[in-house]
Amino acid sequence: MSPVQVKSRQDRLLGAIQLSTMEGVEIGPLASPIVRRDAGRILYADHASTEALRRKYEGHGWDTATIVDVDLVLSSQTLSGALGDRRVDFVLASHVIEHVPDPVSWLGDLRQALRPGGIISLAIPDKRFCFDAKRPVSTPGELVDAFLSRRTTPTVKQVFDFWAYYCQVDTQAMWNCDIDAERLPCSGTLQNALQKSREAVASTSYTDVHCWVFTPRSFLEAAATLAELGMFPFQLADFSSTPRGDLEFFVSLRCVEDGESEQERALRAQSLRAAALEAASAPGPSRPPPPAPPEPVTPPEPPAPTPPEWAEATLRLGRPLYRTLAQALPGVRTLRERLRPWL
C-alpha cells in the first residue's frame, strides 16, 4: 500500500484551480504570495499601494522589500470595480474574510469579478487553535445583520471582543488537549478593550480586527443557512478541514449562475449542511487514550474461624459424644448453636 500523501498548503488552496489555464487575483499576498508571477497569470490586490504597505510594515522584523508589487489597490473600491470590465477565473484570499465587515456583500463582489463558474479559494483561521480561542463562533444571524446593514466597519462589539478575549495559544498543545481554552488567560485588559472600542467609534477609517470567528463546521453551517436565504450563490468546489497541528482550514467556492430554482437552492444548502456534518466528524483535538484499568483483584478466601479455648475443650470430648448429649439433653442446644461453626 502506497503511503498517504499529505497536501501542502498551496495544494489545499489550489485544489479546484488549474494554474496552467486560469487567470486570477490574489488578495493580500504581501511578501508570501500563494501564486508567484512565474507560476501563473496572477494579479495582486491589497488595501494599499506597494509603497504604503512597505511603510506600514517597516520595523516588524522582516524585509519589507520582499512585499510584491500591488496591481490593484482596494482602499476606495471593490475588486470588481478595480478590474473594470475585466474578469478573472479565480480569486485567492488567505486570512482575509474574517477581517471583512460584511462577508456576504464581499463574496458577492468577488463573484462579480469572476467569469461564469469561477472559483473563490479561502484560507480561514480555525478559532479553536488561534488567539480567538476564547471567543464564541459567529452566527448566521450576525452575518445577515452585517449584510442588511451594509456594514463597512467592524461593530463596537467586534472590536471590544477582539481585544478583550485575545489570548496567546500554543496550537499543538490545543490539539493535544493539554490546554483548556476556558482557562486560558487573556493577553490584554478590559480597560484596553474599552479604549480600543472608543478609538474605533471616533475613527473614520477601518479598524483592523477579526470581525468573524469560525470553525470548519460553523462556517459551512452558516453558508448553508445563507444559501437557503438566497444570500450565498456558491457551491462547494473543494474543502479541507484544519489539518492536525495547524490553525487554518480551506474552502473553495464555485459560483452559481443566476436563475437557480428553489429546489436547486435547497439541494445546494443540503449539500453544505452535509459537508458541515462531515467536518464535525473529522479528526479533532484528542488526548492519548487513557491507560487500561487494572485487572480486578480477587480477594483471598477468609480464614476458617478459630474456635475459642472453651470450645476447643468441649470439642475434645469428641463429636460423637457431643451429638449424643445434644440429642439426650435439650438443655445443651444452646451450646450446640454456639459450636455450630466448628462442627
Side-chain angles (χ1 to χ4, degrees):
M1 181 182 296
S2 59
V4 177
Q5 292 187 345
V6 178
K7 289 184 178 181
S8 68
R9 185 173 190 271
Q10 187 180 50
D11 290 337
R12 296 177 193 275
L13 277 162
L14 301 178
I17 295 169
Q18 298 291 330
L19 290 180
S20 60
T21 60
M22 293 182 173
E23 178 185 23
V25 172
E26 182 173 344
I27 300 175
L30 289 179
S32 303
I34 299 159
V35 177
R36 297 197 171 273
R37 295 192 193 275
D38 59 359
R41 293 178 294 163
I42 193 74
L43 297 170
Y44 297 136
D46 216 310
H47 69 280
S49 66
T50 308
E51 294 73 20
L53 290 172
R54 287 173 178 167
R55 288 194 301 270
K56 176 180 178 179
Y57 291 103
E58 190 68 42
H60 281 65
W62 49 287
D63 184 5
T64 57
T66 59
I67 292 177
V68 298
D69 292 329
V70 175
D71 301 296
L72 305 168
V73 178
L74 308 179
S75 56
S76 59
Q77 59 185 340
T78 62
L79 179 61
S80 62
L83 285 170
D85 294 333
R86 188 175 183 177
R87 294 292 177 265
V88 293
D89 300 300
F90 66 88
V91 175
L92 299 173
S94 175
H95 291 235
V96 175
I97 192 171
E98 68 274 13
H99 295 267
V100 176
D102 176 9
V104 174
S105 295
W106 180 70
L107 289 171
D109 175 70
L110 298 190
R111 180 171 176 261
Q112 293 299 316
L114 291 167
R115 299 186 178 107
I119 298 290
I120 299 171
S121 190
L122 308 170
I124 305 173
D126 187 331
K127 82 104 178 175
R128 298 172 296 174
F129 310 111
C130 71
F131 51 71
D132 289 325
K134 294 179 73 69
R135 293 176 66 183
V137 296
S138 302
T139 68
E142 291 169 331
L143 292 162
V144 171
D145 178 27
F147 173 68
L148 296 180
S149 303
R150 291 293 188 267
R151 193 172 299 145
T152 57
T153 58
T155 65
V156 173
K157 178 184 183 299
Q158 288 169 337
V159 175
F160 182 86
D161 284 354
F162 178 82
W163 291 108
Y165 295 107
Y166 190 103
C167 58
Q168 298 294 329
V169 171
D170 182 331
T171 299
Q172 191 59 58
M174 293 296 285
W175 271 98
N176 294 338
C177 287
D178 294 333
I179 300 175
D180 180 1
E182 295 296 324
R183 297 179 181 272
L184 280 172
C186 295
S187 299
T189 66
L190 294 178
Q191 288 300 322
N192 179 63
L194 179 59
Q195 180 59 32
K196 293 286 188 182
S197 301
R198 285 174 171 153
E199 292 172 1
V201 171
S203 176
T204 57
S205 59
Y206 170 80
T207 301
D208 189 17
V209 296
H210 279 195
C211 302
W212 309 102
V213 181
F214 296 114
T215 65
R217 179 178 185 174
S218 76
F219 179 87
L220 292 173
E221 286 180 340
T225 298
L226 294 173
E228 287 187 47
L229 297 171
M231 299 165 60
F232 192 82
F234 305 96
Q235 62 185 9
L236 205 57
D238 198 14
F239 174 77
S240 179
S241 196
T242 310
R244 181 166 184 82
D246 211 334
L247 53 73
E248 61 184 350
F249 60 98
F250 305 88
V251 181
S252 290
L253 306 170
R254 190 181 306 278
C255 295
V256 174
E257 295 306 304
D258 296 330
E260 181 184 41
S261 68
E262 286 191 16
Q263 182 179 9
E264 289 171 330
R265 188 170 68 194
L267 288 173
R268 189 162 49 81
Q270 184 178 354
S271 176
L272 286 164
R273 291 199 189 281
L277 290 175
E278 185 175 350
S281 65
S286 59
R287 294 185 184 274
E295 292 292 331
V297 177
T298 303
E301 291 290 334
T306 304
E309 292 183 4
W310 63 265
E312 285 287 351
T314 304
L315 291 173
R316 279 199 295 270
L317 297 174
R319 284 184 174 82
L321 175 61
Y322 170 76
R323 292 192 184 98
T324 302
L325 289 172
Q327 292 171 359
L329 302 173
V332 297
R333 288 176 182 170
T334 301
L335 178 62
R336 179 186 182 186
E337 292 302 320
R338 297 181 66 182
L339 294 173
R340 184 182 296 278
W342 300 285
L343 293 177

